[in-house]
Amino acid sequence: MKFAYILFLLICLAACQNQDSKGNTSGDGTANEQTIPTSQKPPVAPSSESPEQLRNLARNILRMELPNTFAEQRGDRQAVKSYSFKVQKNNGRPTWIIKEKLHDSATNKLYTGSDYMLLWEVVDANSIQIVNTQDGKWTGISIRPTPGNTFVYHPYTQEPDVAVTEVVIGWYDHSQDQTLLRLYTNLKQLADKMGEWDFEK
């Protein structure tokens, strides 16, 4: 009886080890990639800088510190994207404008672009976050409107404007994570100070 009990325990132990092995490997027996969170919201300390200064910091990071995004197929060509950022009034209402510029990846020549117009009163400041693609390879920053609202995507073509429910600044490889973290921090700090913006200056 004692021998049967020990044998039963050994079988259970072997089964558990086999299950753990299956959970940590893919179909070909190689180790699976570590699961990467799809979003991150690091804590952001309050800033003593003015909203205009914070806008400038975000704009400078996008213009001068982040490279073009990875190449992706856009129509009949490979394209990379760059971004710029400004805050202005749109029909008298404060608006974040994120410009997305498309460059030919072979020549880096700018050939088209678009504006994402984020009416400030519908920006969900809590939605601003660092996000990863599903495979965890690429990273960016996501901004969403409050529930039931949308942003406006305005292409630099004859196509009509389109309502969108998310704007993603990206995608970049993980060598840019620290730069994206600084951009995220500036945007969160700016969001906290939008009520202090003096649009009459």
Side-chain angles (χ1 to χ4, degrees):
M1 184 71 179
K2 191 174 182 182
F3 175 77
Y5 179 70
I6 293 171
L7 182 61
F8 174 74
L9 288 178
L10 288 173
I11 291 170
C12 288
L13 181 60
C16 289
Q17 288 176 337
N18 187 44
Q19 186 64 35
D20 286 345
S21 175
K22 286 179 182 176
N24 292 324
T25 60
S26 61
D28 61 2
T30 58
N32 286 331
E33 292 182 5
Q34 182 181 0
T35 302
I36 299 173
T38 56
S39 64
Q40 302 170 37
K41 292 186 180 180
V44 175
S47 174
S48 61
E49 294 171 303
S50 71
E52 292 85 359
Q53 290 171 315
L54 292 167
R55 180 273 320 273
N56 292 344
L57 288 170
R59 182 175 59 191
N60 289 342
I61 289 172
L62 283 168
R63 282 183 175 176
M64 297 184 285
E65 297 184 41
L66 281 170
N68 290 341
T69 61
F70 77 93
E72 56 185 290
Q73 193 68 33
R74 289 293 187 100
D76 59 351
R77 71 174 87 192
Q78 287 275 309
V80 294
K81 295 179 287 188
S82 65
Y83 294 90
S84 62
F85 177 79
K86 63 181 179 179
V87 180
Q88 65 182 39
K89 277 196 172 181
N90 181 18
N91 294 322
R93 302 155 84 187
T95 304
W96 285 11
I97 308 290
I98 298 174
K99 291 184 175 291
E100 181 181 80
K101 293 165 273 190
L102 270 65
H103 310 256
D104 184 284
S105 64
T107 64
N108 204 33
K109 184 177 179 181
L110 176 67
Y111 69 92
T112 191
S114 57
D115 286 344
Y116 288 97
M117 296 181 283
L118 290 60
L119 192 64
W120 173 247
E121 64 195 54
V122 304
V123 172
D124 181 358
N126 290 322
S127 77
I128 301 169
Q129 58 189 329
I130 298 171
V131 294
N132 296 320
T133 53
Q134 280 192 329
D135 61 7
K137 187 176 181 182
W138 306 100
T139 187
I141 292 179
S142 169
I143 307 172
R144 293 180 178 270
T146 50
N149 291 298
T150 57
F151 301 138
V152 174
Y153 170 75
H154 172 69
Y156 298 164
T157 63
Q158 299 302 314
E159 298 173 28
D161 292 351
V162 178
V164 296
T165 57
E166 181 181 29
V167 175
V168 175
I169 300 170
W171 299 95
Y172 303 93
D173 67 41
H174 287 285
S175 67
Q176 301 304 321
D177 281 358
Q178 288 304 309
T179 307
L180 283 172
L181 179 58
R182 284 189 291 107
L183 176 60
Y184 162 84
T185 300
N186 290 148
L187 291 175
K188 291 287 283 185
Q189 290 172 334
L190 174 58
D192 289 341
K193 294 219 166 185
M194 279 297 293
E196 301 175 20
W197 194 290
D198 184 359
F199 284 94
E200 306 307 318
K201 283 183 180 179

